[in-house]
């Protein structure tokens, strides 16, 4: 397992090399993103428990994987996230406000307007990996330096679509990065009950491309690995499977009870290996950060989350007719009739638009 | 008599079936140690062991496809698909194999298995967790489709489904899992597949519904009494085969019909019911058969769920239209 920063915040030998190459700006940005995403996620868990948003899938504990992977992308690159990867989506351009709309059960939150290249969170497991293969294929056909990053969990490797995506990407040697956050569990099922292989990475070899196993709670190694893999993919070296070893510190969703399938002891162990604390410690030790900056940043990130929620709560609610918006480019006649049935039933606002 | 909600009565039926038949296996994602995401199989792995209540890899094609082989060898698979909206990776196995092995082997092999899945809206769930695509399954020749609307029926229908020699899709309305408690006998009983239930008697109009729409229709009927309207209610419960006789008998009495379902209107089961009625009771009809349904749109996320899901007001409006045609 490749690692740059140990759980106690020390650089490994490999970490020293990477550290010396990175600018202070990047070192700090990686940290800031983790602070921001942590604030957002923690607050969403609270709001979900209070019933202010609907059920929520936290990425708590996986912030290094979320930030490190998406931060390594360039604006023209594609991101294909799951329901747990809104952290990565936010790093790639999704405004928090949009994410909040989504967790409030409002589909408008999915809109990107093409401003960042990502599809909305994919809910059916592993199905989106093939989409990344498609965009990567297009990049090859059009000879463009675009890579596609697909995020998924360890459980997803059991689905047929995972194997089909790897097979096709390997066959065509496409610029696609398969980034598996092995957080140990698919809801209650440990990886040991998904597969006879001990690791996810070893599967890559069967499809004709390399696999790299990294510490998914170490933002430096995640960033460096994805950046390097993306660089090589842009040069035509084909796909890579990255297995990031991490742990979901929160529940699967807010309706899950982790104590039904895992030990408190295990959670405590992983708490000690969580991503934000160790990296922050490193930055403090190296003099890149000071305590005051830590406190100020935490406060401003928290403020940003609350402000986003405020905007969302003050946005106009969708009219009933919004049910029919964007189902087709041009609404077929029959559907127009159905649409007329809901006009007038609570707040008609035909020109409802959302930015 | 013990009192249970629907999830408990389903668990009860599964426990009875596991005890009665050593070859019965429960297969699904998170059904073992976790007891299923809705707790339908809670405690069953402890009692019957991990070789009978089996945590499967996250792969629906594996669940349904491997169940076929197990069934060929005389096992009785009872599969749990976590949500109906996640069956699709296994749809190929269902439509190309499960439904037609009896036919393709000309009776050499049957495919006695049950596939259970939660479905429907009403709890503001996440994307794809609220779909109500029962029509897909009704449309596949060779498969039976059952949707209970209360704890008592859930147990009796599930035991009948498990006993059936052919494949049965057993759809469980998530909104009803914990909605009501009622007396459910502890002993074994079956409700025959293909028999509808007369839920309420009335002279003026027949309301036909199933699953999550049954309580909504019942509430509408109660409110309509204030307007001196007496509705008859039929819970189809078995969507394939469905009970044509009970429906026709009712229509001959009332002459007016509305069909209510959550699923999109076009090619919903309501269309089949309406077609059957006009074929068999045309001269008894006093008004066109009306449908109150979900719209032909993707099942919305939570915020607009209530607009798509038929409610008491939409049903009452349709009743007035049919009565004053
Ligand atoms: C095709 C499909 N089957 C089942 C589900 C239900 N489900 C949602 S998340 C999940 C577990 C996913 O585990 P993993 O891929 O490891 O990702 P994680 O949730 O741990 O991030 C399951 C079974 C689904 N969303 N899609």
């Amino acid at each position: 397992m490749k690692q740059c920063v140990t759980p106690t915040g020390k650089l490994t030998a490999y970490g020293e090399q990477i550290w010396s190459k990175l600018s202070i700006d990047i070192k700090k940005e990686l940290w800031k993103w983790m602070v921001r995403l942590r604030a957002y996620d923690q607050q969403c868990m609270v709001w979900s428990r209070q019933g202010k948003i609907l059920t929520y899938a936290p990425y708590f504990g996986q912030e290094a994987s979320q930030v490190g992977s998406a931060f390594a992308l360039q604006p023209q690159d594609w991101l294909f996230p799951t329901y747990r990867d809104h952290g990565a989506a936010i790093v790639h351009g999704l405004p928090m406000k949009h994410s909040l709309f989504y967790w409030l059960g409002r589909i408008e939150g999915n809109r990107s307007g093409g401003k960042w290249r990502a599809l909305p969170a994919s809910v059916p497991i592993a199905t989106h990996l093939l989409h990344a293969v498609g965009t990567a294929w297009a990049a090859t056909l059009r000879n463009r330096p675009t890579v596609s990053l697909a995020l998924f969990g360890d459980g997803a490797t059991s689905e047929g679509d995972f194997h089909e995506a790897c097979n096709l990407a390997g066959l065509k040697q496409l610029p696609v990065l398969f980034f598996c956050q092995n957080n140990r569990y698919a809801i209650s099922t440990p990886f040991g009950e998904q597969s006879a292989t001990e690791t996810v990475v070893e599967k890559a070899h069967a499809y004709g491309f390399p696999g790299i196993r990294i510490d998914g709670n170490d933002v430096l190694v995640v960033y460096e690995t994805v950046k390097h893999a993306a660089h090589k993919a842009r040069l035509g070296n084909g796909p890579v499977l990255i297995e990031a070893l991490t742990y979901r510190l929160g529940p699967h969703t807010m309706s899950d009870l982790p104590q039904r399938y895992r030990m408190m002891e295990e959670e405590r162990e992983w708490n000690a290996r969580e991503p934000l604390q160790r990296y922050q410690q490193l930055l403090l030790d190296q003099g890149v950060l000071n305590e005051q900056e830590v406190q100020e940043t935490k406060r401003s990130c928290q403020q940003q989350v609350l402000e986003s929620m405020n905007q969302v709560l003050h946005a106009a609610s969708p009219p009933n007719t919004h049910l029919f918006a964007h189902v087709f480019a041009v609404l077929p006649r029959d559907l127009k009739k159905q649409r007329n049935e809901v006009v007038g039933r609570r707040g008609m606002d035909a020109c409802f638009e959302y930015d | 008599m013990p009192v249970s909600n629907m999830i408990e009565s389903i668990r009860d039926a599964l426990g009875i079936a596991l005890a009665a038949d050593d070859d019965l296996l429960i297969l699904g994602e998170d059904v073992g140690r976790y007891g299923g995401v809705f707790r339908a199989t809670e405690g069953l792995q402890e009692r019957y062991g991990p070789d009978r209540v089996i945590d499967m890899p996250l792969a629906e094609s594996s669940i349904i496809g491997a169940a076929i082989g197990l069934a060929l060898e005389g096992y009785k698979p009872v599969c749990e698909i976590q949500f109906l909206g996640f069956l699709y990776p296994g749809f190929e196995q269902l439509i190309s194999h499960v439904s037609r092995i009896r036919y393709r082997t000309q009776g050499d092999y049957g495919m006695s298995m049950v596939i259970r899945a939660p479905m429907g809206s009403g709890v503001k769930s996440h994307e794809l967790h609220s779909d109500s695509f029962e029509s897909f399954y009704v449309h596949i020749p060779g498969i039976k489709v059952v949707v209970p609307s209360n704890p008592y029926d859930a147990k009796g229908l599930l035991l009948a489904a498990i006993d059936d020699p052919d494949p049965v899709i057993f759809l469980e309305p998530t909104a009803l899992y914990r909605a009501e408690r009622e007396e459910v006998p502890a002993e074994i009983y079956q409700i025959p597949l293909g028999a509808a239930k007369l839920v309420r008697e009335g002279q003026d109009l027949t309301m036909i519904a199933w699953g999550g729409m049954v309580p909504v229709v019942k509430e509408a009927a109660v409110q309509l009494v204030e307007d001196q309207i007496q509705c008859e209610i039929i819970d189809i419960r078995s969507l394939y085969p469905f009970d044509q006789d009970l429906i026709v008998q009712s229509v001959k009495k009332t002459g007016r019909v509305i069909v209510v379902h959550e699923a999109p209107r076009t090619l919903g089961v309501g269309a089949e019911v309406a077609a059957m009625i006009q074929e068999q009771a045309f001269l008894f009809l006093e008004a066109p058969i009306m449908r109150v349904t979900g719209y032909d749109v993707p099942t919305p996320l939570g915020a607009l769920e209530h607009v798509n899901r038929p409610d008491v007001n939409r049903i009452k409006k349709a009743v007035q239209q049919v009565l004053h045609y």
Side-chain angles (χ1 to χ4, degrees), chain A residues 20-37:
Chain A
S20 63
K21 288 193 311 191
L22 290 179
S23 72
I24 295 227
D25 276 357
I26 286 185
K27 288 171 185 165
K28 270 197 173 172
E29 271 300 293
L30 289 170
W31 170 76
K32 257 191 204 156
W33 271 117
M34 284 205 288
V35 174
R36 205 174 285 145
L37 291 193

Side-chain angles (χ1 to χ4, degrees), chain A residues 102 159 188 193 256 260, chain B residues 30 33-34 42 60 127:
Chain A
Y102 182 73
E159 289 280 10
S188 73
E193 290 178 32
D256 171 43
R260 295 176 74 94
Chain B
D30 307 289
R33 110 174 38 71
Y34 198 53
E42 185 163 45
E60 292 71 16
E127 239 181 323

Side-chain angles (χ1 to χ4, degrees), chain A residues 54-55 83 101-107 110 120-121 123-125 127 155-160 186-190 193-195 252 255-258 260-261 318-324 327-328 334-335 338-339 341-342 345-346, chain B residues 28-37 39 42-43 55-62 82 85-86 89 123-129 265-266 291 293-309 311 314 317:
Chain A
L54 304 181
T55 194
Y83 49 86
F101 270 117
Y102 182 73
W103 295 115
L104 274 158
R106 292 179 58 172
I107 194 83
N110 277 345
V123 175
I125 305 294
T127 52
T157 63
S158 294
E159 289 280 10
I187 307 187
S188 73
T189 307
E193 290 178 32
Q194 296 283 350
S195 170
H252 171 72
S255 32
D256 171 43
L257 293 171
R260 295 176 74 94
Y261 53 84
N320 292 342
T321 49
H322 197 58
L323 215 52
F324 298 86
V327 176
F328 287 98
D334 285 1
L335 214 47
Q338 293 190 9
R339 185 182 186 276
E341 286 181 33
V342 309
R345 287 178 48 214
R346 198 178 74 86
Chain B
E29 292 157 15
D30 307 289
V31 296
R33 110 174 38 71
Y34 198 53
V37 290
R39 310 280 177 263
E42 185 163 45
D55 276 324
M56 288 290 284
L58 205 180
E60 292 71 16
S61 189
S62 299
Q82 213 156 64
F86 301 136
V123 291
K124 291 191 187 287
S125 202
H126 204 37
E127 239 181 323
L128 288 168
H129 292 64
R265 186 172 306 166
T266 299
R291 287 175 289 168
T293 68
Y295 299 105
D296 293 344
V297 300
T299 312
L301 298 185
L304 286 179
E305 183 181 81
H306 63 287
V307 183
N308 193 48
R309 183 179 158 91
D311 59 16
R314 272 172 76 190
K317 198 168 146 206

